[in-house]
């Protein structure tokens, strides 16, 4: 019993103080610079991270600055856009959301119709406050995936070109590590590029 408990606590300790690499064991950060990485993705996979879709936009009082999502709310399922929350940003709308799709809209209503309903007998009720936290044991930030660290960062999935990503999903985000280094987001019909 003592050996089992020691193994469990050792495993928790290792997970609590190491970075997470999704899709492999090497990641993309240089081997001598892993101490600053909280979350990274395996190189050469030509995949991205998919932001959560929302059917109801959160109110500004419920949003943590830096939140990123795909706005697929009832009025926008045919006009979906990737957005991030940055109150006070000159590019933000009155509610603090910045359009990362540069005005481009995508119709993802067919994808949303396959999702469980919000009302009725088969309705899905989300657990308020449910989240996955990486980097700390708790966080006051709201979100699906919360990266909580003042000294570590997430390294986005990297691709040479968005053309290398086969069948991108709406809400996908990658970092272009080719000639033109930039952030790329996909709203379901078009990639949009942002220079860091």
């Amino acid at each position: 019993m003592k050996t089992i408990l020691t193994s469990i606590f050792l495993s928790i300790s290792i997970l609590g103080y190491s970075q997470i690499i999704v899709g492999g064991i090497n990641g993309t950060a240089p081997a001598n610079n892993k101490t600053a990485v909280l979350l990274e993705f395996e190189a050469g996979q030509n995949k991205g991270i998919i932001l959560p879709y929302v059917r109801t936009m959160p109110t500004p009082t419920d949003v943590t600055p830096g939140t990123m999502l795909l706005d697929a709310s009832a009025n926008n399922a045919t006009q979906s856009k990737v957005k991030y929350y940055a109150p006070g940003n000159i590019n933000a709308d009155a509610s603090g959301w910045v359009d990362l799709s540069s005005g481009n809209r995508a119709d993802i209503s067919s994808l949303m119709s396959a999702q469980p309903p919000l009302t009725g007998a088969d309705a899905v009720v989300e657990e308020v406050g449910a989240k996955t936290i990486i980097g700390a044991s708790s966080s006051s930030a709201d979100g699906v995936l919360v990266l909580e660290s003042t000294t570590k960062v997430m390294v986005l999935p990297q691709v040479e070109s968005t053309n290398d990503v086969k069948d991108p999903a709406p809400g996908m985000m990658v970092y272009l590590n080719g000639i033109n280094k930039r952030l790329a987001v996909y709203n379901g019909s078009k990639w949009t590029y942002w220079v860091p």
Side-chain angles (χ1 to χ4, degrees):
M1 183 65 156
K2 190 174 186 179
T3 304
I4 293 172
L5 288 176
T6 303
S7 297
I8 290 171
F9 286 117
L10 179 60
S11 297
I12 291 170
S13 172
I14 289 170
L15 287 175
Y17 295 101
S18 63
Q19 79 276 0
I20 296 171
I21 301 172
V22 177
I25 60 170
N26 297 314
T28 52
N32 62 349
N33 198 14
K34 296 286 190 188
T35 57
V37 178
L38 186 61
L39 174 65
E40 66 178 311
F41 301 82
E42 186 67 20
Q45 300 293 308
N46 291 327
K47 297 178 182 178
I49 186 170
I50 300 172
L51 299 168
Y53 300 11
V54 295
R55 293 187 278 190
T56 304
M57 286 295 284
T59 60
T61 56
D62 297 331
V63 184
T64 302
T67 296
M68 300 179 81
L69 53 76
L70 179 68
D71 178 4
S73 53
N75 297 336
N76 291 324
T78 59
Q79 302 177 32
S80 296
K81 296 179 179 182
V82 176
K83 296 180 178 181
Y84 83 97
Y85 185 68
N89 184 309
I90 60 169
N91 296 318
D93 64 18
S95 63
W97 290 100
V98 176
D99 174 14
L100 289 178
S101 295
S102 297
N104 298 306
R105 295 177 168 95
D107 183 352
I108 65 164
S109 55
S110 62
L111 292 172
M112 297 310 292
S113 66
Q115 299 298 318
L118 294 173
T119 59
D122 297 326
V124 172
V125 179
E126 292 187 11
E127 184 179 334
V128 176
K131 57 187 159 189
T132 298
I133 304 166
I134 299 175
S137 59
S138 65
S139 174
S140 61
D142 289 324
V144 176
L145 173 63
V146 177
L147 305 177
E148 185 70 42
S149 177
T150 57
T151 59
K152 295 185 178 193
V153 298
M154 175 179 72
V155 179
L156 287 173
Q158 297 180 18
V159 299
E160 291 294 313
S161 166
T162 51
N163 293 331
D164 296 336
V165 180
K166 305 291 186 251
D167 196 24
M172 183 174 281
M173 181 171 57
V174 297
Y175 180 73
L176 297 179
N177 198 20
I179 296 170
N180 298 314
K181 299 187 183 316
R182 56 191 67 206
L183 171 71
V185 295
Y186 185 72
N187 69 348
S189 69
K190 186 171 184 171
W191 286 98
T192 322
Y193 305 92
W194 294 86
V195 178

